[in-house]
Amino acid sequence: MTSDIVYLNGEFMPLNEARVPVLDRGFIFGDGVYEVIPVYSRHPFRLAEHLRRLQNSLDGVRIANPLSDAEWTRLIGEIVARNDGDDQSVYLQVTRGVAKRDHAFPKDAKQTVFLMSNPLTTPPAAQINDGVATISASDFRWLRCDVKSVSLLGNCLLKQMAVDAGVAETLLFRDGKLTEASSCNVFVVKNGVLLAPPKNNLVLPGITYDVVLEIARAREFEFEVREVSEAETRDADEIWITSSTKEVLAVTRLDGRPVGNGKPGPLFQRMHALYQEFKQTVMRRAA
Ligand code: PDD
């Protein structure tokens, strides 16, 4: 078994042998979309949902899906089998392909399809037990954040602000409303009610976000999907961030101030445990 086997346009090869032409529109324009799929015990988690979101992203930027869901499933299975480790994070990317530089879409370019796998690194125990610190910033990204585009410069700049401040994430506000974070969705808890910013063009429709709301519904958490103001966020009892690789994490500091009492709250602790349980159940069923 080898690590670092990737797939590029029909072939599996070692990562250091994979080459994309410089005129690929992914390189020139950031003209492509991607997915990150967590794999537990060699089973992709929520694969159908990731493939559905991939289709939505492709539709959003008018790239034809080069593969059927069955072909994606087979390829993802193969990349998982060819790489080491039971828990992986599969990255896939589709770009509009290689063409002479011109903003308008090329007539006959063929999509570039790339997949790789990395070890899945879920948060360390200290982050789960103590929560993470964050800062906030104004959300200066484009107005199609629902598309999982590889044009991530805005997200990278916002994430780097967090790194420069020595914290884990940057929470984003647009027009006085909470949107998401640079690479996560965000939930807020106030007076025992879980508040989730609605899915719209300003946020990525997170797969983990959906899992959290499914659990909330099944386990009778009190929750509301609605716009959350910046003031409500700053006054929250709890703040959570969610993503495929972070799962659910408590935010215990925002802009240098404690969130609630500065410790992961009771609803977080309940949701975190239920999320782990949910994952185990789904994986046992898949095995
Ligand atoms: N990021 N919002 C943004 C901006 C994201 O980049 C991500 C995920 C999420 C959470 O989505 P999901 O629950 O489907 O992972 C929300 C991935 C992990 C990344 O870019 O690496």
Side-chain angles (χ1 to χ4, degrees), residues 34-38 50 53 89 91 141 145 147-149 152 155 159 169 172 179-186 202-211 241-247 275:
Y34 76 106
E35 276 296 322
V36 176
I37 306 163
H50 280 279
R53 185 173 66 184
S89 161
Y91 175 92
R141 301 171 304 161
C145 294
V147 171
K148 203 160 171 58
S149 161
L152 284 174
N155 301 66
K159 181 54 146 278
E169 253 294 12
L172 306 176
T179 54
E180 53 180 346
S182 75
S183 63
C184 303
N185 290 108
V186 181
L202 303 180
V203 298
L204 185 80
I207 306 296
T208 321
Y209 168 104
D210 281 343
V211 173
I241 51 177
T242 67
S243 83
S244 290
T245 47
K246 290 197 166 64
E247 301 182 339
Y275 191 92

Side-chain angles (χ1 to χ4, degrees), residues 3-262:
S3 248
D4 284 349
I5 294 296
V6 304
Y7 171 94
L8 180 62
N9 295 331
E11 280 176 70
F12 290 91
M13 62 191 80
L15 175 64
N16 61 12
E17 288 176 19
R19 298 278 182 278
V20 180
V22 290
L23 285 182
D24 193 286
R25 288 179 62 101
F27 180 63
I28 297 286
F29 292 120
D31 184 358
V33 301
Y34 76 106
E35 276 296 322
V36 176
I37 306 163
V39 174
Y40 300 108
S41 307
R42 297 201 177 267
H43 297 292
F45 184 64
R46 296 253 142 166
L47 181 57
E49 289 80 359
H50 280 279
L51 293 179
R52 200 174 310 135
R53 185 173 66 184
L54 172 66
Q55 185 65 56
N56 288 339
S57 295
L58 288 165
D59 291 346
V61 300
R62 298 163 61 189
I63 295 177
N65 194 336
L67 299 171
S68 67
D69 279 4
E71 288 166 325
W72 280 117
T73 302
R74 192 188 59 76
L75 268 187
I76 291 162
E78 201 158 338
I79 205 89
V80 170
R82 285 173 184 255
N83 281 281
D84 286 341
D86 290 343
D87 294 348
Q88 301 180 21
S89 161
V90 170
Y91 175 92
L92 68 84
Q93 171 171 338
V94 180
T95 78
R96 204 178 304 275
V98 180
K100 183 172 176 301
R101 185 179 181 279
D102 180 355
H103 289 62
F105 298 167
K107 292 228 159 36
D108 47 14
K110 195 165 174 295
Q111 302 90 323
T112 298
V113 177
F114 174 65
L115 284 89
M116 65 179 166
S117 176
N118 289 300
L120 180 66
T121 40
T122 47
Q127 287 194 349
I128 296 166
N129 297 332
D130 303 336
V132 295
T134 59
I135 54 169
S136 68
S138 146
D139 193 345
F140 53 63
R141 301 171 304 161
W142 70 334
L143 296 175
R144 290 304 309 276
C145 294
D146 54 321
V147 171
K148 203 160 171 58
S149 161
V150 298
S151 307
L152 284 174
L153 185 53
N155 301 66
C156 294
L157 286 165
L158 291 161
K159 181 54 146 278
Q160 190 58 36
M161 287 182 190
V163 173
D164 292 345
V167 300
E169 253 294 12
T170 305
L171 309 193
L172 306 176
F173 298 112
R174 193 192 287 266
D175 299 330
K177 304 280 185 318
L178 173 66
T179 54
E180 53 180 346
S182 75
S183 63
C184 303
N185 290 108
V186 181
F187 291 82
V188 161
V189 175
K190 187 67 189 176
N191 296 331
V193 183
L194 178 64
L195 303 176
K199 289 195 219 170
N200 56 28
N201 63 310
L202 303 180
V203 298
L204 185 80
I207 306 296
T208 321
Y209 168 104
D210 281 343
V211 173
V212 164
L213 285 186
E214 255 179 64
I215 295 173
R217 200 168 292 122
R219 300 304 181 112
E220 296 177 354
F221 281 61
E222 213 180 312
F223 74 92
E224 292 172 16
V225 178
R226 64 156 172 86
E227 285 188 331
V228 178
S229 71
E230 178 170 347
E232 282 179 299
T233 309
R234 296 196 183 281
D235 189 40
D237 298 330
E238 300 185 27
I239 300 177
W240 310 345
I241 51 177
T242 67
S243 83
S244 290
T245 47
K246 290 197 166 64
E247 301 182 339
V248 192
L249 271 185
V251 170
T252 43
R253 293 187 82 76
L254 173 58
D255 292 329
R257 284 183 292 274
V259 175
N261 67 2

